[in-house]
């Protein structure tokens, strides 16, 4: 802990990890540069971002390297859009990012499975039973009394530009 504190002080506490979202933005911009003008709208960044968010809802994706997860999502979307001309671009990004084919295939399969389940009817309605809090009578009585002791804060007015 002491050594960690020393290192953080040396870098002025400015420690930032590169996220899958940042890789997604980078890969998307690089791929957009290589797209012909008539195909520029074939890849939708908002859709890719939504797919990444869906993946982040699953704990398994916390084990994925951010670069691999982002490239997996883009590669799957390119396959779905049948943009054959971008396959070479994906391979180039894979090489420059030092991502093995085995890793990319493994995570692509997991992403594909996640997105399939995410878009199914099974995922559209949450199980109400799992969403209910079950507390004991004693806890409920304590919560009820503590609720009335909370001082309500005034509403902060919004600044309209």
């Amino acid at each position: 802990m002491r050594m960690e504190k020393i290192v953080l002080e040396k870098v002025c506490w400015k420690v930032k990890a590169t996220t899958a979202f940042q890789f997604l933005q980078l890969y998307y911009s690089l791929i957009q540069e290589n797209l012909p003008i008539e195909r520029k709208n074939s890849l939708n960044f908002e859709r890719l971002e939504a797919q990444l968010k869906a993946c982040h809802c699953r704990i398994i994706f916390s084990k994925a390297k951010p670069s691999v997860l982002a490239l997996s999502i883009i590669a799957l979307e390119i396959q779905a859009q049948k943009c054959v001309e971008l396959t070479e671009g994906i391979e180039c990004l894979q090489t420059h990012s030092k991502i093995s084919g085995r890793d990319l295939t493994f995570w692509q399969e997991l992403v594909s499975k996640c997105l399939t389940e995410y878009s199914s009817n099974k995922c559209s309605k949450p199980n109400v039973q799992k969403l209910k809090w079950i507390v004991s009578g004693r806890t409920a009585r304590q919560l009820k009394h503590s609720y009335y002791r909370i001082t309500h804060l005034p509403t902060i007015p919004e600044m309209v530009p």
Side-chain angles (χ1 to χ4, degrees):
M1 295 291 285
R2 190 176 139 268
M3 185 56 103
E4 187 176 317
K5 183 180 175 214
I6 292 169
V7 170
L8 287 171
E9 286 172 352
K10 293 293 179 193
V11 294
C12 301
W13 294 85
K14 293 179 184 174
V15 181
K16 292 183 181 176
T18 307
T19 64
F21 180 73
Q22 290 167 321
F23 276 109
L24 193 67
Q25 287 175 315
L26 175 67
Y27 292 158
Y28 177 80
S29 64
L30 291 171
I31 286 173
Q32 284 292 101
E33 288 176 6
N34 296 322
L35 272 175
I37 295 168
E38 62 274 1
R39 298 287 306 248
K40 288 277 185 196
N41 294 331
S42 61
L43 281 179
N44 182 342
F45 185 76
E46 287 77 25
R47 179 176 162 83
L48 294 170
E49 183 182 358
Q51 291 174 347
L52 178 63
K53 287 177 182 177
C55 289
H56 276 152
C57 291
R58 302 280 172 98
I59 193 74
I60 188 72
F61 291 103
S62 65
K63 294 181 172 126
K65 287 183 181 177
S67 58
V68 178
L69 181 56
L71 193 60
S72 297
I73 291 170
I74 289 181
L76 280 172
E77 187 63 20
I78 286 172
Q79 286 174 6
Q81 298 291 333
K82 295 179 176 57
C83 297
V84 182
E85 66 271 11
L86 292 177
T87 308
E88 190 178 312
I90 291 293
E91 291 169 0
C92 183
L93 287 172
Q94 180 183 348
T95 305
H96 286 293
S97 300
K98 297 179 181 163
I99 299 170
S100 73
R102 204 173 104 230
D103 282 348
L104 187 61
T105 304
F106 174 79
W107 287 105
Q108 272 182 318
E109 288 172 3
L110 287 177
V111 167
S112 178
K113 183 180 175 191
C114 172
L115 295 177
T116 302
E117 289 175 8
Y118 188 75
S119 62
S120 72
N121 290 337
K122 175 185 164 189
C123 192
S124 62
K125 286 187 177 178
N127 184 347
V128 180
Q129 290 295 102
K130 291 182 180 177
L131 296 177
K132 289 183 181 174
W133 282 58
I134 300 171
V135 295
S136 69
R138 186 179 75 188
T139 305
R141 284 189 297 277
Q142 288 176 339
L143 289 173
K144 186 177 179 182
H145 295 300
S146 66
Y147 173 77
Y148 294 110
R149 282 187 243 145
I150 297 172
T151 57
H152 293 282
L153 299 173
T155 306
I156 299 172
E158 290 186 38
M159 302 295 282
V160 180

